[in-house]
Amino acid sequence: MEHNLLAAIPELFTRFVQLPNDKGHNAVWDFRRSPDNRYFISVCGENEKPLTALLYEYDPDTGDLRLIFDVARVWIVDAEQMPPSKIHTSIDFLPDGKLIMATHNTAPAPGHKQWMYEQHYEHPWEGYPGSIVMIVDPDTGDVRTRGIPVPRESIYGGMLGNDPRYYYFLGYMRGHFYRLDLETNEVRDYGKVSEFSSCRLAKDERGRLYGSSYTGGLWRYDPVADRIEDLKISFESPNGTKYRRQFIFALNSPRNTLLLVDNTDGELIELHPDTLEATRHGPIHLPGDKPQNMYLIGGLAADERFVLYYGLKTYDANLPIRLVRWDVLNGGKPENLGLVSPGGKASQYICEMLFDCNGWLHMVDVCGEHSPYILAVDAGKLQPPGPDAPKAHIEPYAEPDWNGVGEAAYMHIAAETVRTLPLHRFMDWSETAVAHLHLRNGQVFAIGGGKETRLTVFGCTDEKRLQIAVLYDGGGPVSCADVGGRTVVLTSDGCMLLVDYAAGQGRPILTERAGVSLARLHGSLGEERWLASDREGGLYVCGLDGIRPQPLEHVRVRTEAGSHIVVLDDKRILLSGRDDELLVYDMERGCGEKLAVKAPSIRGRAFRATVSGGAVLGDGTVVAGTQDGLLFTLSPDLGRKTSYGRLFSAGPLRNMIRYGDEAVLGIYGGYRDAGHVFHYSRASGFVDWGRPRVIKDNPELYALDTEWASIHYISCLAHAQQDEMLYVASGEQYGCMIRYKKPACPR
């Protein structure tokens, strides 16, 4: 089939409406038609200017606009913080006619060189405080703010359930799915459902909600069962693209199915909600004209006969986005209707499109030279342009490089090669959180799980899973410790497992605990013994001989989550006493002594000086960190302390491992922090290596032939010195590991 790819949509059948952009607003990320046929549109700021979002009502017959409110007038915006620059795919309609919506952010604070949400994620003054939820009366302009449901999180898409008490939304920073109870203000976090951001939710006739991961894996939330189901259906790129493949548009069809399409190199999937049968209708590009480079879909709407209309943006030539028609339910093929370039105002992307009651299609342009604007088209009069159709007036447009900081803005861990090991591809998401890593014979063994304890084995040279074994089905791993060449696992139901990697099995040990209820494991004491503690802080020595744990007298470990014991040798341990006190306990003598030096603390916060991680270098130097994030070292005789300060504004330093004889690697951050890997040596000091993120937006990572990854909460590290490999594992559901070959210490 021949397509006239240079022809424009005939302007005879169009109407152009410029949206307000005099202050720099250049985008729209929500355009909704209400049940009573009113149209609402959000005008947003993208990338370059510190702007706040505006909400307008749009008249599709005249093109008139009426400003309802400016977010800056209803919410206090601190000039040092990132502003609420968008209302993004979150507008929905309450039964009383009011609108509910949430803010989002992709604009910098006035003092920032660019939008850098992650770089300022936890900064108390310059970060993003979090999205607000608002209820708006469209007639009076009255706005009732409901506050910030999740601090620091930016809401990237929201929808009311069939029960209008519940507003469901997705988080941009962490990829979590949340529910807000509008009556009680309770926020429920259902955990991670995507590697990173994903903005679209869809709903079937029974009120079940659908979403996807960043790499295109579909999931469903059932409000009756109150649980998320991994549908094990993924969008597939015909070009093998490993970029932004998340589900981006959806329509409910006349045959009670959902038509779903993904963002990049898109394909159309028809999902049958009751049977979960997926009918793949093929890619959205024009038949016979397969693009060589990746392409995007922009907007999706259906006319009264349910013929689909959408924008198609390809990067094979310097062309605007084009309008495509597809009568998919009747077996048709995609048809080219022309480029969107009214009067030469070429559209770089269409964010949304809607049909009005008269059959006109209203398309919203964003992020281009003339953005934002609406081009309304009398769709029923359009036909594919023939060979003699006039060419579009196209003036080349190059989007400015908004990255004004350059390499200084990058946060990923640099390495010779980087590979993502996506556990969520091989098992149910709820079982993918990793609790422990063990390296052996050129393989990496991951112990993890939720309701059960699993062992997953990968090779050290590829991304293929070698083995998955259920070690124990009575509970998931709570705490782990390597003992010799094996690992001991304490499970959530109180069982102790010994994992034999050679056999790929786990067997219960210490089954007769004589009433001892252990809560945590604290490290190995040689080849056959290890330390454990109970919920009251009592310490015990456990052994492979199966004899019940032996209590240690005159010593207790701090009971707060994350407190750590540093094993100095087979006889002595280092642990926190009261506040910033440091204790050394001799297990043979059964007594301890208080050190003359104390753990470093922030004045007035010595109660947060608990040791949260530590390791011993080859010369006996102790490297340790605290709950408040302060790093320090102790000389081999434990008589001299050197403090190195904090990595970030909050969060502990934990899970430290030896990195050769003279260095240590560790993890910054708890569950709510954005985790970093840090490095310490006397030669280089205390250095941030970066975040475990494999993001294709960074030029040096764009061409990597591996999946996207973004680990927010890091659970553990492992290092194979002989292979120069570093493994970083996720402690979240929808988990993964990232393998770094020859990671580089920043200079």
Side-chain angles (χ1 to χ4, degrees), residues 92 157-163 166-170 177-179 190 200-212 218-224 227-229 231 247 258 260 271 273 276:
D92 211 339
M159 173 178 282
L160 283 169
N162 278 6
D163 184 340
Y166 298 124
Y167 184 63
Y168 299 91
F169 59 94
L170 296 162
F177 177 63
Y178 304 91
R179 184 187 73 186
Y190 289 88
R200 189 68 66 174
L201 293 171
K203 189 167 55 176
D204 66 21
E205 286 191 333
R206 291 170 54 182
R208 295 171 294 197
L209 275 66
Y210 297 78
S212 92
L218 290 167
W219 53 265
R220 176 169 73 181
Y221 168 75
D222 185 341
V224 176
R227 68 181 184 89
I228 295 174
E229 179 183 8
L231 300 185
F247 142 59
L258 280 168
L260 311 169
L271 183 67
L276 292 180

Side-chain angles (χ1 to χ4, degrees), residues 10 27 81 92 99 103 105 113 137 153 205 277 290 295 298-299 329 340 377 391 421 455 457 497 511 529 534 589 736:
Q81 293 178 329
D92 211 339
L99 283 62
T103 58
N105 166 267
K113 291 186 176 181
D137 187 326
E153 183 62 280
E205 286 191 333
E277 176 188 358
K290 182 179 179 180
Y295 54 91
L329 297 189
V340 181
V377 181
K391 293 183 179 180
L421 308 176
L455 177 67
V457 185
L497 298 176
T511 54
R529 299 189 306 153
D534 60 25
R589 294 167 51 203
C736 71

Side-chain angles (χ1 to χ4, degrees), residues 379-391:
K381 295 180 179 178
L382 296 182
Q383 292 299 325
D388 299 327
K391 293 183 179 180

Side-chain angles (χ1 to χ4, degrees), residues 675-738:
H676 289 240
V677 174
F678 69 85
H679 175 276
Y680 168 81
S681 71
R682 272 188 290 269
S684 61
F686 183 22
V687 182
D688 177 13
W689 271 20
R691 288 200 57 200
R693 300 192 68 225
V694 184
I695 61 173
K696 306 304 178 71
D697 294 336
N698 291 359
E700 61 267 51
L701 299 182
Y702 180 82
L704 286 183
D705 186 24
T706 191
E707 285 292 2
W708 180 289
S710 178
I711 299 175
H712 199 90
Y713 175 66
I714 307 170
S715 60
C716 52
L717 309 173
H719 172 238
Q721 187 169 0
Q722 66 277 15
D723 299 320
E724 298 184 87
M725 296 284 195
L726 172 65
Y727 294 84
V728 183
S730 167
E732 307 161 306
Q733 74 171 24
Y734 211 91
C736 71
M737 295 185 291
I738 304 176

Side-chain angles (χ1 to χ4, degrees), residues 456-652:
T456 308
V457 185
F458 283 88
C460 287
T461 57
D462 55 32
E463 300 174 42
K464 295 181 180 179
R465 167 187 58 87
L466 302 179
Q467 178 187 359
I468 294 179
V470 176
L471 300 176
Y472 181 70
D473 61 7
V478 171
S479 191
C480 303
D482 281 337
V483 180
R486 294 168 288 187
T487 298
V488 178
V489 182
L490 180 65
T491 67
S492 55
D493 65 342
C495 181
M496 191 90 76
L497 298 176
L498 179 66
V499 179
D500 186 327
Y501 294 107
Q505 296 176 343
R507 64 178 177 86
I509 57 174
L510 301 176
T511 54
E512 298 178 3
R513 297 194 297 274
V516 176
S517 180
L518 298 178
R520 283 186 292 166
L521 307 182
H522 292 281
S524 169
L525 298 172
E527 294 294 315
E528 297 189 347
R529 299 189 306 153
W530 63 96
L531 276 176
S533 65
D534 60 25
R535 287 173 175 79
E536 287 71 44
L539 272 174
Y540 300 83
V541 175
C542 305
L544 295 177
D545 53 13
I547 301 174
R548 70 181 181 86
Q550 300 299 309
L552 295 178
E553 302 293 337
H554 312 300
V555 64
R556 302 191 79 77
V557 65
R558 297 274 286 268
T559 57
E560 63 257 41
S563 65
H564 180 76
I565 294 175
V566 181
V567 178
L568 301 175
D569 50 45
D570 290 354
K571 301 175 183 178
R572 298 180 305 148
I573 58 176
L574 174 73
L575 68 162
S576 291
R578 181 177 177 179
D579 298 331
D580 55 357
E581 294 176 347
L582 293 172
L583 307 177
V584 171
Y585 182 83
D586 188 308
M587 290 178 287
E588 281 192 349
R589 294 167 51 203
C591 64
E593 64 176 300
K594 189 187 305 183
L595 294 184
V597 297
K598 295 184 177 182
S601 67
I602 296 165
R603 296 300 295 168
R605 285 174 62 99
F607 50 83
R608 292 282 294 172
T610 306
V611 172
S612 54
V616 182
L617 299 181
D619 66 354
T621 299
V622 177
V623 183
T626 71
Q627 293 278 22
D628 247 346
L630 293 168
L631 186 79
F632 67 101
T633 63
L634 296 175
S635 58
D637 63 2
L638 308 180
R640 188 176 67 256
K641 178 188 72 176
T642 304
S643 298
Y644 290 85
R646 307 173 86 180
L647 185 69
F648 216 150
S649 57

Side-chain angles (χ1 to χ4, degrees), residues 124-277:
W125 315 123
E126 297 186 48
Y128 184 56
S131 293
I132 59 171
V133 173
M134 302 170 290
I135 295 176
V136 181
D137 187 326
D139 298 319
T140 66
D142 178 65
V143 180
R144 183 159 60 99
T145 59
R146 299 298 297 265
I148 297 174
V150 184
R152 302 292 176 189
E153 183 62 280
S154 196
I155 295 176
Y156 198 42
M159 173 178 282
L160 283 169
N162 278 6
D163 184 340
R165 291 179 300 171
Y166 298 124
Y167 184 63
Y168 299 91
F169 59 94
L170 296 162
Y172 186 87
M173 314 294 194
R174 302 177 66 187
H176 285 218
F177 177 63
Y178 304 91
R179 184 187 73 186
L180 170 62
D181 187 322
L182 296 173
E183 292 184 355
T184 67
N185 284 332
E186 176 195 8
V187 177
R188 179 166 179 185
D189 183 351
Y190 289 88
K192 193 169 185 176
V193 296
S194 176
E195 298 90 345
F196 183 49
S197 61
S198 190
C199 70
R200 189 68 66 174
L201 293 171
K203 189 167 55 176
D204 66 21
E205 286 191 333
R206 291 170 54 182
R208 295 171 294 197
L209 275 66
Y210 297 78
S212 92
S213 69
Y214 199 87
T215 55
L218 290 167
W219 53 265
R220 176 169 73 181
Y221 168 75
D222 185 341
V224 176
D226 194 27
R227 68 181 184 89
I228 295 174
E229 179 183 8
D230 176 7
L231 300 185
K232 294 302 180 188
I233 300 168
S234 293
F235 289 103
E236 298 172 1
S237 164
N239 297 322
T241 295
K242 291 181 177 177
Y243 193 65
R244 183 180 298 163
R245 306 195 303 277
Q246 80 267 40
F247 142 59
I248 190 67
F249 297 113
L251 292 172
N252 297 87
S253 83
R255 51 197 193 197
N256 297 326
T257 57
L258 280 168
L259 290 178
L260 311 169
V261 66
D262 58 316
N263 203 178
T264 303
D265 282 3
E267 67 163 334
L268 190 66
I269 292 178
E270 184 174 6
L271 183 67
H272 304 258
D274 292 333
T275 65
L276 292 180
E277 176 188 358

Side-chain angles (χ1 to χ4, degrees), residues 38-40 55-59 64-68 138:
R38 297 172 69 176
Y39 295 75
F40 300 94
L55 184 72
Y56 286 87
E57 183 170 8
Y58 168 69
D59 187 331
D64 291 342
L65 296 167
R66 179 178 67 88
L67 178 64
I68 298 175

